[in-house]
Amino acid sequence: MRPFLFVAGVITLLPAALPWACAAQTSGQVPPRASASGTGRIEGRITLSPALSTDRMRFRPYGDFGRGQFPTERNEPANPFARVVVYIVSPTLSGYEAQEQRPPASISQSNETFDPHLLPVLRGTTVEFPNDDDIFHNVFSLSAPALFDLGRYPRGESRSVVFDDVGVVAVFCDIHSDMSATVLVLDNPFFAQPDAEGRFLIEGLPPGDHVLTVWHDRVAPIEVAASVAAGQTTPLSIELPPPSEQMNRPGSLWDRH
Amino acid sequence: MTPPRNTLSNLKLPALALTALTLTVLLHALAPRSAVAQDWIVLEGILDVEGWSTDDASRLLTRNDGRPLGSSTLTMWTALRLHAKLQLMALGEVEGEIGAGAFRDAEVGIHQLALRFSASPTLLVEAGKILPPVGIYAGRRLSITNPVIGAPDSYHVNYPWGVVVTGRWGRLDYRTGMVSKPIVHERYLPPPTDRLRPAVGAGVTLATGFRVGGSFTRGSYLNRDMSSAIPDVAAWSSFNQRIIAFDTRFARGHSEVRAEFSLSSYDVPTIDDAVSGKTGYVEFKRTWTPRFFTAFRFEGNDYPLVKLRDTGKWIGKAVLFWNAEASIGYRFSRDSLLKVSYRGDRWENPERNGKAFAFQFSHQFDVMRWLDQRMMGSG
């Protein structure tokens, strides 16, 4: 009877122990860390066309009475560069850890908008979705990398999602169709968002030839070649959308993603 | 009440397509070649395709008078920013039976056509053809937001002309205005003559996701052409309808409840006492997964029937009717939704009972975004 109980116990506990054993093995493979020594950086500036510098008009044909019937207007114009992310795509950089601790990722529901509208995160990041409005919102996504519905919760409460798969995750509110956000889940920490003047900086890059992708939710992603040398800065100047003569040109680096 | 529509006999699908194409080309030509600035215009729509199996008595799809077969509906709306605080908006609908590649006997209606002035959150003015300020069911008119397929029998939305002022202070909201039409049910009451009437409403959000409200309107509801059947001592416009309505919405997590209840009374020619009625519904929706939800709506309806008989005599009495509809919904994407539903109708007279099974596929689209993608190459 005892051998039977032992075998049964092993069979029962084995599935539970396997993930722990695998995790321990994985944690032994320390991913490379982007360090300042022996690396280079890309410093660039993005120029947006006037059309990309405007927000979409907000309109609800059938709103529920009370707050939320008509969309709230912004008090000040949004930073148009907040809709842009620049990032490096390279299988060799996969698994790099961030050089610096990034602030906790969060998209709030505030003034009947998702803020920020675009959030780039490293794969595995947990993103909080706090409700800062007095009305209820619904947070959901049907995108392949992250399928979720957080339901509705009151002001002061938050729900979170762990983004494990790389890709573009479109986030919406089921109640207010003009509310949307995008979470860009990336494979390495070499990404940045431009400041209010369009300037961006990506540091700690291993020397070599890289391809920088520029992502905007209204423009097809474009790719720009950038050679990085140790201890040096590679300057870039990028126009969005790219001049038409450079778009879809065979062999061009301006290409659909 | 179902809004009056212009019937375009045998309006063919190619004609609709040509209209849409012309509009698209025009927008294309007007937009700067480099990009479409979207800060001044919204142009969106929903295409619904429905089919149902029903008996003669069912009222599941009352917007098509309960006729069997299938129908498709194209709803489009646009808004233009004329000024930072001034918008012009319009919403129209084309509905027709599906048959032989055409919108057969298509009906066209302009439901909303209004100027919206947003002075501040406490003061917003809408003038033109607008939503009625009484009740809250109007918010469910779009198929994408309606969790079932049908509408409550006594909550048909009409679109009066008028001016309505709305606003909110913190948790309180209000609306008040003058509108041209009473809220009537075309099967129970005669088609009314337009006449201005006051309408007011207010609500309080007790907690996030929990709002209660009420509304009231009073005014004439008879038709001027009925004057000959009204005793000489009174004018048609002196017979009034009064409606007081209550509503509530509650949502938490993945569940949502909304309910409305209204009391109405009618002055009827040759009948001494006012005829009163009551009606209401309660609706539940539960989202089980990001794509899958179920919903249920129950309606009880003791609606007054006011009618001028061929004998020249008026009748006024309440008619008891109730119905229930249960549906299952599946979201293919944010913009595409499939619903199937079953509805049963019950009357005092069991011979009038009805039942129906229906499906509805809805796809929402954004013309400006589509144009933008074409021009930006991000399609």
Side-chain angles (χ1 to χ4, degrees):
Chain A
M1 192 65 181
R2 279 188 178 177
F4 171 76
L5 284 174
F6 175 77
V7 172
V10 168
I11 291 171
T12 308
L13 294 174
L14 193 58
L18 270 176
W20 176 82
C22 292
Q25 190 179 7
T26 306
S27 64
Q29 298 170 347
V30 179
R33 188 175 177 84
S35 64
S37 60
T39 62
R41 60 188 208 163
I42 297 173
E43 193 174 312
R45 180 158 193 166
I46 290 174
T47 309
L48 293 181
S49 73
L52 290 180
S53 301
T54 59
D55 267 352
R56 298 198 74 208
M57 179 181 167
R58 305 182 70 198
F59 177 75
R60 292 172 193 160
Y62 289 95
D64 281 329
F65 291 119
R67 199 171 174 192
Q69 182 181 6
F70 305 118
T72 305
E73 292 294 328
R74 286 177 186 275
N75 294 325
E76 56 191 38
N79 169 20
F81 293 101
R83 304 174 82 107
V84 180
V85 172
V86 289
Y87 60 92
I88 305 287
V89 177
S90 169
T92 60
L93 299 179
S94 180
Y96 265 73
E97 284 185 352
Q99 185 177 350
E100 296 170 357
Q101 187 72 29
R102 291 181 185 264
S106 172
I107 296 179
S108 72
Q109 302 146 71
S110 173
N111 287 322
E112 296 167 40
T113 55
F114 286 115
D115 185 27
H117 175 76
L118 172 63
L119 180 69
V121 297
L122 185 60
R123 182 166 64 176
T125 301
T126 300
V127 177
E128 290 285 340
F129 290 89
N131 183 2
D132 293 333
D133 270 341
D134 283 329
I135 56 174
F136 53 74
H137 294 293
N138 163 276
V139 185
F140 78 98
S141 171
L142 300 176
S143 301
L147 190 71
F148 62 87
D149 186 332
L150 301 182
R152 302 170 189 196
Y153 41 93
R155 182 189 184 102
E157 286 191 15
S158 181
R159 304 279 188 275
S160 62
V161 176
V162 180
F163 291 89
D164 283 327
D165 293 327
V166 171
V168 179
V169 180
V171 178
F172 302 106
C173 170
D174 189 24
I175 306 162
H176 307 110
S177 60
D178 55 309
M179 286 177 63
S180 68
T182 303
V183 179
L184 206 55
V185 188
L186 301 165
D187 200 29
N188 64 61
F190 301 108
F191 60 85
Q193 281 195 278
D195 63 15
E197 290 169 357
R199 294 172 304 204
F200 68 88
L201 177 65
I202 298 177
E203 294 183 290
L205 275 165
D209 291 333
H210 296 291
V211 175
L212 181 86
T213 300
V214 185
W215 198 93
H216 186 291
D217 63 354
R218 288 179 55 195
V219 184
I222 56 173
E223 296 180 341
V224 182
S227 290
V228 173
Q232 298 204 357
T233 299
T234 303
L236 286 176
S237 181
I238 300 162
E239 229 178 292
L240 272 185
S244 54
E245 64 270 16
Q246 291 179 287
M247 287 177 71
N248 301 323
R249 198 174 63 193
S252 168
L253 279 170
W254 304 95
D255 194 10
R256 289 191 177 206
H257 186 65
Chain B
M1 178 186 177
T2 303
R5 293 186 173 119
N6 305 316
T7 299
L8 303 182
S9 296
N10 298 316
L11 182 64
K12 300 294 183 188
L13 195 58
L16 290 174
L18 188 64
T19 306
L21 184 67
T22 306
L23 187 63
T24 304
V25 170
L26 193 64
L27 283 167
H28 223 278
L30 289 173
R33 186 60 205 160
S34 58
V36 182
Q38 298 188 41
D39 58 338
W40 62 277
I41 183 169
V42 167
L43 181 59
E44 297 178 47
I46 297 176
L47 178 66
D48 296 320
V49 178
E50 301 167 345
W52 59 92
S53 169
T54 176
D55 56 23
D56 294 343
S58 173
R59 291 191 173 186
L60 174 60
L61 293 162
T62 49
R63 58 187 171 281
N64 201 39
D65 299 326
R67 286 175 290 174
L69 294 175
S71 74
S72 47
T73 307
L74 177 65
T75 306
M76 291 203 69
W77 59 92
T78 186
L80 304 175
R81 189 198 301 273
L82 306 177
H83 177 266
K85 294 181 179 296
L86 186 66
Q87 295 177 341
L88 172 66
M89 58 89 57
L91 185 146
E93 195 174 281
V94 182
E95 179 180 340
E97 289 179 8
I98 298 171
F103 271 82
R104 287 196 339 220
D105 300 326
E107 295 175 325
V108 181
I110 300 295
H111 295 339
Q112 297 183 55
L113 180 63
L115 279 171
R116 181 183 289 176
F117 176 66
S118 314
S120 70
T122 58
L123 180 67
L124 298 111
V125 184
E126 276 195 303
K129 197 172 187 189
I130 55 177
L131 290 171
V134 177
I136 61 168
Y137 184 74
R140 287 291 201 234
R141 280 290 288 169
L142 295 178
S143 59
I144 290 280
T145 54
N146 184 2
V148 296
I149 296 177
D153 192 62
S154 53
Y155 283 83
H156 289 195
V157 180
N158 66 358
Y159 298 89
W161 291 89
V163 179
V164 171
V165 179
T166 65
R168 61 176 168 82
W169 287 287
R171 293 180 176 276
L172 300 175
D173 62 81
Y174 75 93
R175 53 194 191 273
T176 179
M178 297 292 288
V179 293
S180 64
K181 288 181 189 299
I183 295 174
V184 297
H185 192 303
E186 60 185 356
R187 288 196 175 92
Y188 294 84
L189 300 169
T193 295
D194 284 2
R195 191 160 184 267
L196 278 181
R197 56 163 48 213
V200 295
V204 56
T205 301
L206 299 172
T208 302
F210 181 30
R211 178 187 176 277
V212 293
S215 49
F216 175 76
T217 185
R218 178 183 183 277
S220 64
Y221 72 100
L222 291 180
N223 195 301
R224 187 196 308 268
D225 295 341
M226 293 173 160
S227 296
S228 59
I230 295 172
D232 291 340
V233 292
W236 67 273
S237 56
S238 65
F239 294 90
N240 285 320
Q241 169 207 58
R242 291 160 291 274
I243 295 178
I244 183 165
F246 307 93
D247 56 79
T248 185
R249 300 194 305 261
F250 176 76
R252 183 74 196 225
H254 296 88
S255 300
E256 185 184 354
V257 182
R258 70 167 54 198
E260 289 191 69
F261 178 74
S262 67
L263 298 167
S264 58
S265 75
Y266 295 80
D267 302 328
V268 181
T270 71
I271 296 178
D272 291 338
D273 296 328
V275 178
S276 62
K278 51 187 179 291
T279 186
Y281 71 88
V282 59
E283 176 189 291
F284 303 91
K285 180 187 175 190
R286 168 79 183 176
T287 302
W288 299 95
T289 74
R291 295 188 189 277
F292 172 66
F293 68 82
T294 53
F296 178 79
R297 185 189 288 144
F298 173 82
E299 181 192 13
N301 184 354
D302 202 5
Y303 206 91
L305 170 71
V306 177
K307 197 171 182 180
L308 176 62
R309 287 192 156 168
D310 295 340
T311 57
K313 293 207 170 194
W314 288 87
I315 58 167
K317 63 171 186 175
V319 179
L320 186 62
F321 165 68
W322 63 267
N323 65 77
E325 182 175 352
S327 74
I328 298 171
Y330 184 84
R331 305 180 80 130
F332 292 95
S333 69
R334 177 215 184 188
D335 300 323
S336 297
L337 173 64
L338 176 68
K339 290 180 283 189
V340 293
S341 91
Y342 175 83
R343 173 164 157 169
D345 297 342
R346 292 292 177 270
W347 296 82
E348 284 176 298
N349 177 1
E351 290 182 1
R352 299 182 66 188
N353 290 350
K355 59 181 185 297
F357 176 81
F359 79 88
Q360 181 184 59
F361 178 76
S362 308
H363 181 72
Q364 185 168 357
F365 55 91
D366 183 335
V367 176
M368 297 310 295
R369 190 185 296 273
W370 179 80
L371 277 173
D372 195 43
Q373 288 172 341
R374 296 277 78 72
M375 291 182 175
M376 297 288 192
S378 60

